[in-house]
C-alpha cells in the first residue's frame, strides 16, 4: 500500500518539476541573443533590441532592468519580444544599425525600426510598448534601414575592420612585432591589394569597352627605301621644271624691256612736242607792267 501512495506523489513531483523547468526555460529564452546569422528574425513581429558591450558600465547597469522587462512582457503576453546584441561579438550588426553609443535600444515593428531614446527604467520601457508611444517616433528612413543594401555594405566594412584589428592584435601579441612593424605590413598589403584591384579593373574595362584596332599596314624596309627614292626623284624633277620656268620668264622680261625702250625713244619726241604744245597753249600772256 505504501508503494501505491508513493507513485502519485512521484508523478506530482515530476509534473511540478517539469512545469518549473518549462517556465524557467521560457523566461531564459525570452531575451534572445542576436548575431549575424539570426538577426533577421526581428523583421517579423514586435521587438525591443538592446545593443551592449560587456565592458560598458551603463550596459551593466541596464542589465537588471532589461531582464525584468523581458520577464514582465512575457508574463503579460504583450506580444513584444526582447533581444540583445553584443557588439564585440557581432560588429557587423553595430554597423548595420549605426550604433554610436552604448547601450542603444531599438523598437522594431514588422520591419520598421525606431530608436528608443526615453528613460531606461522598466516602467518607461513598458509604457513605450503598452501605450504605443512608439508611433510618435519617426521611423528610420529607408536608406538607413538595417536591411537595406547600403547598410549591408557598411556592415561588411565593420566586419572587415574588426578582422583587421584582430590580425593587428595577433601580430603584436603572438609574434611580438612592434606597432610600426604591424602598420608597415598593413601598408604593403594595402598597396599590393590596390595594385591587383587596379589590374582587375583595367581588365574588366578592356572586356567591356575593347580598344579599336588601328588600320595601319606594316611596310618593309625595302618598300620604305623605294618610297624615299621616288620622293627624291619627284623633288628633283620639280626643281628642274621650276628652273625652266624661271629661264623662260627671264627671257620674256628682257624682250619686253627692249621693246619698251625702243618705243619710248620713238615716241619721246612726239610726246615732248605734244607736251610743249600743250604747255604753249596753256600759257597766258603777261600783263604789261
Amino acid at each position: 500500500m505504501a508503494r501505491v501512495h508513493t507513485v502519485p506523489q512521484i508523478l506530482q513531483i515530476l509534473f511540478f518539476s517539469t512545469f518549473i523547468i518549462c517556465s524557467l526555460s521560457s523566461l531564459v529564452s525570452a531575451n534572445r541573443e542576436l548575431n549575424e546569422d539570426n538577426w533577421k528574425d526581428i523583421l517579423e513581429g514586435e521587438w525591443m533590441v538592446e545593443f551592449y558591450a560587456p565592458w560598458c558600465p551603463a550596459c551593466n547597469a541596464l542589465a537588471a532592468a532589461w531582464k525584468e522587462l523581458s520577464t514582465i512582457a512575457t508574463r503579460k503576453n504583450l506580444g513584444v519580444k526582447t533581444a540583445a546584441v553584443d557588439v564585440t561579438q557581432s560588429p557587423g550588426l553595430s554597423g548595420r544599425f549605426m550604433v554610436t553609443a552604448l547601450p542603444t535600444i531599438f523598437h522594431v515593428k514588422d520591419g520598421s525600426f525606431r530608436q528608443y531614446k526615453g528613460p531606461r527604467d522598466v516602467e518607461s520601457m513598458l509604457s513605450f510598448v503598452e501605450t504605443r508611444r512608439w508611433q510618435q517616433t519617426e521611423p528610420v528612413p529607408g536608406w538607413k534601414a538595417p536591411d537595406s543594401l547600403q547598410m549591408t555594405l557598411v556592415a561588411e566594412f565593420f566586419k572587415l575592420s574588426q578582422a583587421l584589428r584582430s590580425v593587428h592584435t595577433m601580430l603584436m601579441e603572438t609574434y611580438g612585432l612592434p606597432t610600426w612593424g604591424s602598420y608597415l605590413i598593413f601598408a604593403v598589403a594595402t598597396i599590393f591589394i590596390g595594385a591587383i584591384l587596379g589590374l582587375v579593373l583595367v581588365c574588366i574595362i578592356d572586356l567591356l569597352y575593347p580598344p579599336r584596332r588601328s588600320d595601319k599596314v606594316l611596310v618593309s624596309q625595302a618598300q620604305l627605301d623605294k618610297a624615299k627614292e621616288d620622293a627624291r626623284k619627284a623633288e628633283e624633277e620639280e626643281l628642274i621644271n621650276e628652273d625652266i620656268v624661271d629661264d623662260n620668264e627671264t627671257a620674256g622680261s628682257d624682250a619686253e624691256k627692249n621693246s619698251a625702250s625702243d618705243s619710248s625713244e620713238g615716241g619721246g619726241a612726239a610726246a615732248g612736242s605734244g607736251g610743249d604744245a600743250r604747255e604753249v597753249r596753256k600759257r597766258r600772256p603777261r600783263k604789261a607792267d
Side-chain angles (χ1 to χ4, degrees):
M1 296 295 295
R3 293 181 178 178
V4 177
H5 290 291
T6 56
V7 172
Q9 293 178 357
I10 294 173
L11 292 177
Q12 290 178 359
I13 293 172
L14 291 175
F15 176 77
F16 283 114
S17 60
T18 304
F19 178 77
I20 293 172
I21 291 173
C22 293
S23 300
L24 291 176
S25 62
S26 63
L27 291 177
V28 171
S29 62
N31 189 21
R32 187 170 184 181
E33 193 73 21
L34 296 181
N35 51 38
E36 299 285 348
D37 299 326
N38 61 359
W39 77 271
K40 289 188 177 180
D41 294 343
I42 65 176
L43 297 178
E44 297 179 359
E46 187 175 5
W47 294 78
M48 290 287 285
V49 184
E50 176 201 10
F51 288 82
Y52 73 97
W55 48 262
C56 174
C59 300
N60 295 329
L62 180 63
W66 192 256
K67 289 180 180 179
E68 187 177 355
L69 172 66
S70 176
T71 303
I72 296 175
T74 304
R75 187 174 65 245
K76 289 186 175 182
N77 293 324
L78 297 179
V80 60
K81 303 175 185 178
T82 59
V85 179
D86 186 355
V87 296
T88 60
Q89 299 296 326
S90 302
L93 289 182
S94 63
R96 189 182 292 273
F97 283 79
M98 291 300 292
V99 176
T100 57
L102 296 175
T104 297
I105 300 175
F106 278 92
H107 175 270
V108 186
K109 176 68 173 177
D110 295 330
S112 181
F113 301 86
R114 293 175 174 84
Q115 186 174 355
Y116 174 76
K117 298 182 179 181
R120 304 302 172 86
D121 56 279
V122 179
E123 290 77 12
S124 299
M125 290 187 289
L126 280 175
S127 176
F128 183 80
V129 176
E130 287 181 320
T131 60
R132 294 180 174 271
R133 285 195 293 111
W134 51 266
Q135 295 179 348
Q136 302 174 5
T137 304
E138 288 294 330
V140 176
W143 65 273
K144 287 180 64 177
D147 56 342
S148 62
L149 176 61
Q150 52 270 23
M151 300 312 296
T152 302
L153 296 177
V154 173
E156 294 299 326
F157 277 114
F158 268 70
K159 289 192 287 187
L160 178 61
S161 64
Q162 186 69 17
L164 294 177
R165 186 172 182 176
S166 301
V167 173
H168 174 69
T169 304
M170 181 187 66
L171 292 175
M172 293 179 60
E173 295 180 355
T174 305
Y175 297 97
L177 290 179
T179 304
W180 63 267
S182 178
Y183 289 159
L184 180 61
I185 292 175
F186 277 109
V188 173
T190 301
I191 295 173
F192 181 72
I193 294 174
I196 293 178
L197 292 178
L199 180 61
V200 172
L201 183 61
V202 170
C203 293
I204 293 174
I205 293 175
D206 288 341
L207 290 175
L208 296 178
Y209 303 98
R212 295 180 179 178
R213 295 181 178 179
S214 60
D215 297 332
K216 294 181 180 179
V217 180
L218 296 178
V219 181
S220 63
Q221 186 65 31
Q223 293 176 346
L224 186 62
D225 295 339
K226 183 179 180 181
K228 289 182 179 180
E229 184 67 21
D230 294 340
R232 187 179 62 79
K233 290 180 179 180
E235 186 176 359
E236 290 179 355
E237 291 178 357
E238 186 177 357
L239 291 175
I240 292 171
N241 293 332
E242 289 180 356
D243 292 338
I244 293 173
V245 172
D246 290 340
D247 293 339
N248 293 333
E249 290 179 353
T250 303
S253 61
D254 293 339
E256 289 177 358
K257 287 180 180 179
N258 293 330
S259 61
S261 61
D262 295 339
S263 62
S264 62
E265 289 178 357
S273 61
D276 294 338
R278 284 194 298 272
E279 289 178 358
V280 170
R281 286 195 299 270
K282 290 180 179 179
R283 289 177 181 176
R284 295 180 181 182
R286 295 182 177 179
K287 294 181 181 181
D289 293 333

